[in-house]
Amino acid sequence: MTGSFRTASGGRIDRAKPLAFRFDGTTYYGFQGDTLASALIANGVHLMGRSFKYHRPRGVVSAGSDEPNALVDVRRDDARTTPNLRATQVELYEGLVATSQNRWPSLGFDAGAMNDLFSPFLPAGFYYKTFMWPAGAWKRFYEPKIRAMAGLGVAPTLPDPDRYTQHYAHCDVLVIGAGPAGIAAALAASATGARVMLVDEQAEFGGSLLAETGATIDGKPAQQWLADALETLAASGNVTLLTRTTAFGYFPHNMIALAERVTEHLASPNPNLPRERLWQVRATEVVIAAGALERPLVFPENDRPGVMLAEAGRTYLTRYGAKPGTRATVFTACDSGYRAALELAAGGVEVAAIADLRPQVHGDWAAKALDAGIDVRPSTVVTGTLGRRRVSGAHLAKLKAGAVGPAETVACDLVLMSGGFTPSVHMFSQSRGKLVYDPALQVYLPGTSVERERSAGACRGVYGLKAVIEDGYARGESAAKDAGFGAASPRAFAVEAAELGTDGFIGAVPHGRNPAFAKAFVDWQNDVTSKDIALATREGFRSIEHVKRYTTTGMATDQGKSSNMNALGIVSEQLGVGVPQIGLTTFRPPFTPTTFGIFAGAARGDLFDPIRTTPIHDWAAERGAAFEDVSLWKRAHYFPKTGEDMHAAVARECKAVRSGAGIFDASTLGKIEIVGPDAAEFMNRMYTNAWTKLEPGRLRYGVMLREDGFVMDDGVVGRLSHDRFHVTTTTGGAPRVLAHMEDYLQTEWPDLDVWLTSTTEQWAVIAVQGPKSREILQPLMDDIDLSRAAFPHMSVREGHIRGVPTRVFSVSFTGELGFEVNVPAEHGRAIWEAIFKAGEPHGIMPYGTETMHVLRAEKGYIIVGQETDGTAVPDDVNLGWAVGKAKRDFVGKRSLERAAMSAPDRKQLVGLLTTDPKIVLEEGAQIVAEPGVKVPSPTPVPMLGFVTSSYASATLERSIALAMIKGGRARIGTKLHVPMPGGSIEVTVVEPSFYDPKGERFDA
């Protein structure tokens, strides 16, 4: 029931818990503790996918996260389907449904395999050279076709119903990797009292110890020592243990991103648990114990199902109790192949031969193999394999003086290969540490560190179980010491284990065959062969970064795990230069593919772009308001009556404000409380105008610049007392302005005694505008006199309205008499309704943001971000009067003194009137001097400027527009033209204030 290739006993699987699963529609059985790959192997299934480019049959190569071939789609339901999962990492559970990818109509018969027949005509760089002709064909023909064929798995189309959470954590020592080095490092660091986090991507801690059969540590079998060590760590109280957790990104200042798979391995996940959890860990010190990856050998037909790494074959047998074959040929350049051969032979797998690339075979491993009756062949290479959907034989040939002799065919259904071990330096590289090449080991090792980290064990070239454990312990102790803790108790480890040598091979194995027809794969995932890399060097590429992009080797999710060193070896041989001179590719995060969901967390659906509403929102919705998004806020755009479109509603609202009164929700304005003895000095430095002499109870319009002198924000500021200011900002600029202020306060002026507090959501702001606004509000005031003499324009008073504390600003953004009533947000709707009821006899009317835009444009008032584009200085938008000429300094002052900032041909804010008053210009339309310009124009046209705001004014009974035009003020009274597809529109340049230019209605 559980597969004919399952061992009778052994492994870490739970044989008392059989599990049924489906792969490509067929039901199979495995055990608790299996991966999908190990369960399929135990059922004799080796064909698990098709290659990306040639659609060649592919099976597993590895047993871990470096697997390039066995990519599957795992489906729970229509919405829960995940493509491109490595079968070697998919934990088996009851009812798992997996499907192979990149094949049609079936895995066994894939029509795309025709590509393999045309492979001689599809070399590296084929796309770059072929799709250049005919001109323009890329967009019209090639790109749509290639995009339709590209990809491996199929992305789900339904919304993901699962939940993803994010968690922030701090620790003294973070240990990445829980193999023997990582376990030892955690033991040492935790013994000092440091807070330790130990994380590993596998379902169990232990790393290589999980497949260990003969070693002992401190007199115990390796796996018993592992169990005891984990028990000690769990009981310590200062260690966080995270399995199924991949450290996928190393960011500045020891910020490590971890992806924890919480319920992926469960048949019936708890709905209260997230599917995955993103940990963002800030660690004082980091120990990287990521181990090493076995390196494949590059020989012809090394991609057939049944060709895998020696350690992978051994792992499937000893850890999962799954025989990867019945008769094996081992091809090796190091001792790892011998260990695998001996353990497979002991497990019931016949070993036909060990082909050792090395010329001399000596030492204990060869002796053990010979004693076991295994045919050991030194100076021997595999020159090819037989079979289609599964390897059926290997061609072995002797190397003599560098030449390849005649090949002998050895029948086998399993080929194990080992080219040595490559330290996993991805995390170290991500930390911006500098790698150094070790010519003896033929690998890159961690060199100079940038962050507070250290590598331990095999990932820094330390091999041998005893050396790895002792190195891990020492590194864990040093990490705790550097984090401020004492030394751990001295500890010696008694380890008995068969040691492996450090031999290995990089590059392409000599095979003596025509390279045009002998596909020796370097990168299985991207179908890159040794021939492709050799071609890249002939094409003139010398840097491995360029070779990588030309051939795609080491790209995508592989990130050089299996292919990098062999690619470097081939380029080195082709160019006749050392590996360090070729360079090294960049290891980018994530270390392994990471779901989008874990990054989004809760930020999706309604929470993707958080919706903020004001206290008056529901009232506006009940009155049928149309809303628009302004920054993160929902704001009432206009209030249509039955049968009205936006233009009719806005015209009605504008007339109401000009003739009587309008009420407007301005709660979204940013509000910042600036308090402290140095508050006035702080304001003086942040804003262009002077603030020290502003009397309490008065308002002032403020302009804020960036360091480069360009307008950043504006707003009205009220001085409540000598040490307190109430600052308003634009709706969209509130967080930016507060961050700008905090940056200067904390980094440039820490001597100032000032506190900054965001009060945006503390206050609801009700703007009452129009000639009857005073008359409406005064009866509602408990203790504030709104008379013209007591409360002139640009003043602020504190008191009460209907018993509610309030701050009232006498300010206008419409050009009419106006007041802004600030009340605590929880009283916002009640006070709004009270004002509206009091105003009904006076014809008060609610208005929205569109009406506000029209009213302010009639006055020529700017909106930062609409009239300004990040390149406007105050004088450009007629705010030169707001720049304190006598001020010693303020942010942006020196930039304003540059000659270019006052050049006469700078774009300046002006008004435009169309010759035909019914024509409303398009915002963003370009402005030119001559009328004959066509749109689109075949030649570049010298543009004078552009329209920033344009509206139909019900008050003026015509269209109006604001524009930024080169030397605009000098052009007032002249005619210009706005080219449009329907013809050129003539405009007259005028002053930007169209309504009450003297401001006589402010105190009406």
Side-chain angles (χ1 to χ4, degrees):
M1 185 178 83
T2 55
S4 59
F5 291 86
R6 185 72 74 177
T7 59
S9 61
R12 299 181 66 86
I13 54 175
D14 188 345
R15 297 175 187 260
K17 295 181 180 178
L19 302 172
F21 69 98
R22 291 176 66 82
F23 177 69
D24 276 358
T26 301
T27 299
Y28 300 98
Y29 295 90
F31 291 114
Q32 185 76 39
D34 263 322
T35 64
L36 175 60
S38 68
L40 287 173
I41 287 173
N43 283 275
V45 177
H46 282 258
L47 176 60
M48 298 184 194
R50 292 280 177 164
S51 71
F52 176 64
K53 185 176 177 182
Y54 301 128
H55 288 246
R56 288 168 66 92
R58 291 287 172 82
V60 291
V61 171
S62 77
S65 61
D66 54 331
E67 174 57 39
N69 281 345
L71 304 179
V72 298
D73 180 296
V74 174
R75 178 188 179 90
R76 290 181 183 264
D77 54 43
D78 289 344
R80 293 178 172 89
T81 175
T82 307
N84 296 328
L85 293 178
R86 289 168 166 82
T88 53
Q89 290 186 295
V90 176
E91 295 180 55
L92 205 64
Y93 55 82
E94 180 65 31
L96 182 145
V97 177
T99 308
S100 58
Q101 302 179 159
N102 200 39
R103 81 292 188 279
W104 182 87
S106 69
L107 182 60
F109 178 76
D110 179 17
M114 290 181 60
N115 289 359
D116 200 20
L117 300 176
F118 294 100
S119 59
F121 308 103
L122 303 173
F126 165 76
Y127 300 100
Y128 305 113
K129 300 171 183 175
T130 305
F131 301 129
M132 302 299 291
W133 59 270
W138 170 256
K139 283 291 184 185
R140 295 195 308 271
F141 179 76
Y142 295 127
E143 185 178 26
K145 295 292 184 182
I146 292 174
R147 286 191 178 278
M149 296 171 60
L152 291 168
V154 178
T157 57
L158 296 177
D160 186 347
D162 289 316
R163 188 164 59 92
Y164 301 82
T165 61
Q166 298 177 341
H167 187 70
Y168 292 87
H170 294 78
C171 65
D172 300 310
V173 177
L174 172 65
V175 182
I176 300 173
I183 296 290
L187 287 170
S190 64
T192 69
R195 294 174 302 161
V196 178
M197 291 185 71
L198 176 63
V199 304
D200 193 276
E201 67 180 358
Q202 296 196 62
E204 293 184 271
F205 287 138
S208 62
L209 296 179
L210 298 175
E212 190 59 61
T213 57
T216 63
I217 306 172
D218 293 341
K220 305 174 185 177
Q223 295 191 18
Q224 182 58 53
W225 177 87
L226 169 64
D228 293 346
L230 292 176
E231 184 177 345
T232 299
L233 292 172
S236 66
N238 61 328
V239 179
T240 300
L241 302 172
L242 294 176
T243 56
R244 301 183 179 91
T245 302
T246 303
F248 67 84
Y250 202 132
F251 302 97
H253 309 296
N254 271 15
M255 173 66 83
I256 315 298
L258 312 175
E260 180 188 8
R261 299 175 296 282
V262 181
T263 60
E264 284 286 270
H265 60 293
L266 301 175
S268 300
N270 185 339
N272 296 320
L273 291 177
R275 178 180 177 181
E276 294 183 355
R277 183 181 292 120
L278 173 65
W279 291 75
Q280 298 177 68
V281 180
R282 186 76 72 180
T284 305
E285 300 290 335
V286 174
V287 178
I288 302 174
L293 299 172
E294 191 168 24
R295 195 163 53 246
L297 290 168
V298 180
F299 58 90
E301 294 94 47
N302 59 348
D303 67 323
R304 297 197 196 283
V307 178
M308 66 178 67
L309 295 167
E311 278 296 297
R314 172 176 170 266
T315 297
Y316 286 120
L317 181 77
T318 61
R319 178 176 174 182
Y320 298 107
K323 297 179 182 179
T326 59
R327 194 168 194 264
T329 295
V330 179
F331 183 26
T332 187
C334 65
D335 293 343
S336 174
Y338 287 86
R339 180 171 66 174
L342 288 166
E343 294 198 2
L344 262 67
V349 178
E350 180 186 357
V351 179
I354 297 177
D356 196 330
L357 187 60
R358 296 171 294 182
Q360 298 293 329
V361 176
H362 55 79
D364 293 341
W365 287 108
K368 290 177 182 179
L370 291 170
D371 289 344
I374 298 174
D375 180 8
V376 178
R377 306 184 185 189
S379 294
T380 302
V381 296
V382 174
T383 63
T385 63
L386 299 174
R388 182 60 180 167
R389 299 179 188 173
R390 173 77 183 273
V391 67
S392 61
H395 301 303
L396 275 59
K398 283 284 186 178
L399 281 177
K400 296 180 180 178
V404 180
E408 174 192 348
T409 301
V410 176
C412 58
D413 60 1
L414 175 66
V415 175
L416 300 182
M417 55 184 172
S418 180
F421 291 87
T422 301
S424 184
V425 294
H426 293 67
M427 295 304 293
F428 175 81
S429 181
Q430 286 182 25
S431 75
R432 297 170 297 149
K434 302 300 181 185
L435 297 169
V436 295
Y437 185 69
D438 186 322
L441 296 177
Q442 293 184 297
V443 295
Y444 276 95
L445 299 176
T448 305
S449 295
V450 173
E451 299 288 349
R452 297 180 62 170
E453 55 72 35
R454 72 275 303 132
S455 296
C459 69
R460 77 180 193 100
V462 175
Y463 300 127
L465 185 57
K466 178 178 176 61
V468 164
I469 293 176
E470 291 179 345
D471 189 55
Y473 194 85
R475 296 285 168 160
E477 183 180 39
S478 73
K481 182 179 180 181
D482 290 347
F485 295 84
S489 301
R491 185 170 177 180
F493 294 89
V495 178
E496 292 186 10
E499 299 293 334
L500 300 176
T502 58
D503 291 346
F505 180 84
I506 62 172
V509 172
H511 52 75
R513 291 172 57 185
N514 186 338
F517 302 100
K519 290 187 178 69
F521 286 90
V522 178
D523 185 322
W524 280 257
Q525 189 172 96
N526 295 300
D527 270 352
V528 180
T529 66
S530 58
K531 181 185 70 172
D532 293 325
I533 295 177
L535 174 63
T537 62
R538 294 199 301 274
E539 295 278 2
F541 295 100
R542 296 294 182 266
S543 165
I544 193 62
E545 287 282 12
H546 295 155
V547 172
K548 171 183 175 178
R549 281 153 182 79
Y550 189 70
T551 64
T552 70
T553 187
M555 294 183 70
T557 58
D558 177 70
Q559 285 298 300
K561 293 182 183 69
S562 60
S563 62
N564 203 59
M565 292 309 302
N566 282 327
L568 284 169
I570 295 171
V571 175
S572 173
E573 181 182 9
Q574 291 289 320
L575 299 180
V577 300
V579 168
Q581 283 69 51
I582 301 167
L584 183 65
T585 59
T586 302
F587 300 113
R588 295 181 175 85
F591 174 72
T592 53
T594 307
T595 61
F596 288 120
I598 204 172
F599 296 114
R604 58 178 182 167
D606 290 341
L607 298 179
F608 174 71
D609 194 3
I611 298 173
R612 300 172 73 180
T613 58
T614 73
I616 294 98
H617 178 87
D618 290 343
W619 185 94
E622 292 164 9
R623 297 301 174 101
F627 290 92
E628 69 168 339
D629 295 325
V630 180
S631 185
L632 296 179
W633 295 90
K634 287 288 185 185
R635 300 193 72 178
H637 196 194
Y638 57 96
F639 290 81
K641 290 187 176 181
T642 303
E644 284 186 332
D645 61 8
M646 184 184 77
H647 300 292
V650 169
R652 172 177 49 78
E653 292 170 9
C654 287
K655 290 178 180 178
V657 175
R658 296 290 185 214
S659 61
I663 185 170
F664 175 71
D665 183 5
S667 304
T668 63
L669 290 175
K671 293 171 279 290
I672 303 170
E673 200 90 349
I674 298 180
V675 183
D678 296 324
E681 176 60 24
F682 178 75
M683 291 292 296
N684 229 33
R685 298 182 187 182
M686 290 303 308
Y687 284 87
T688 62
N689 0 25
W691 298 93
T692 54
K693 294 182 179 180
L694 182 68
E695 291 296 324
R698 298 293 293 177
L699 302 175
R700 180 162 291 167
Y701 173 76
V703 179
M704 177 179 286
L705 308 182
R706 303 193 310 242
E707 287 185 353
D708 54 14
F710 298 128
V711 175
M712 175 181 175
D713 203 81
D714 69 344
V716 173
V717 179
R719 189 168 193 176
L720 305 177
S721 63
H722 286 287
D723 63 351
R724 184 181 296 269
F725 289 83
H726 177 125
V727 175
T728 66
T729 74
T730 58
T731 294
R736 181 174 64 250
V737 169
L738 181 60
H740 187 61
M741 289 180 168
E742 284 283 9
D743 183 33
Y744 273 91
L745 182 60
Q746 294 182 33
T747 63
E748 302 297 330
W749 311 318
D751 56 305
L752 294 185
D753 197 358
V754 179
W755 298 269
L756 310 179
T757 305
S758 172
T759 59
T760 298
E761 296 186 7
Q762 169 69 27
W763 298 100
V765 182
I766 304 163
V768 184
Q769 303 282 305
K772 295 183 179 180
S773 56
R774 181 182 283 124
E775 189 176 349
I776 294 169
L777 286 174
Q778 185 61 75
L780 303 175
M781 296 295 167
D782 298 335
D783 48 11
I784 299 177
D785 183 358
L786 298 184
S787 66
R788 181 173 181 176
F791 199 173
H793 183 58
M794 294 300 283
S795 299
V796 56
R797 299 289 184 269
E798 293 187 281
H800 297 80
I801 177 172
R802 287 290 182 92
V804 176
T806 184
R807 293 175 179 175
V808 182
F809 288 13
S810 176
V811 67
S812 173
F813 199 46
T814 63
E816 302 295 339
L817 173 67
F819 299 91
E820 290 183 359
V821 180
N822 294 258
V823 294
E826 61 268 25
H827 298 286
R829 176 161 180 171
I831 297 302
W832 173 282
E833 290 178 341
I835 295 173
F836 187 77
K837 184 176 180 180
E840 284 184 319
H842 302 277
I844 195 169
M845 191 171 293
Y847 67 96
T849 54
E850 186 67 16
T851 296
M852 177 268 291
H853 278 279
V854 176
L855 296 173
R856 65 89 195 171
E858 290 173 348
K859 284 292 295 178
Y861 294 154
I862 73 163
I863 290 182
V864 173
Q866 185 156 337
E867 271 63 52
T868 66
D869 61 359
T871 65
V873 299
D875 185 65
D876 295 340
V877 288
N878 299 330
L879 295 178
W881 57 269
V883 178
K885 304 299 188 292
K887 288 182 66 174
R888 183 176 63 85
D889 198 12
F890 55 82
V891 176
K893 177 179 172 61
R894 280 166 289 181
S895 295
L896 288 182
E897 294 171 354
R898 291 179 293 173
M901 296 302 198
S902 57
D905 63 344
R906 289 187 62 83
K907 291 186 177 70
Q908 298 167 342
L909 182 68
V910 294
L912 297 179
L913 293 176
T914 57
T915 302
D916 183 346
K918 295 181 181 180
I919 295 178
V920 179
L921 299 174
E922 289 188 13
E923 292 181 349
Q926 298 293 308
I927 301 166
V928 299
E930 303 298 330
V933 176
K934 295 182 179 180
V935 176
S937 174
T939 58
V941 177
M943 302 297 181
L944 298 177
F946 54 93
V947 178
T948 61
S949 298
S950 181
Y951 307 99
S953 169
T955 303
L956 302 174
E957 298 183 342
R958 65 156 301 127
S959 64
I960 60 171
L962 298 175
M964 293 294 287
I965 297 178
K966 291 182 180 180
R969 287 192 285 270
R971 297 179 185 270
I972 290 177
T974 64
K975 302 286 187 182
L976 296 176
H977 301 271
V978 178
M980 299 299 292
S984 183
I985 301 172
E986 185 180 69
V987 296
T988 302
V989 182
V990 298
E991 292 286 351
S993 180
F994 303 95
Y995 176 81
D996 188 27
K998 295 182 179 181
E1000 295 171 345
R1001 298 181 62 86
F1002 286 139
D1003 277 323

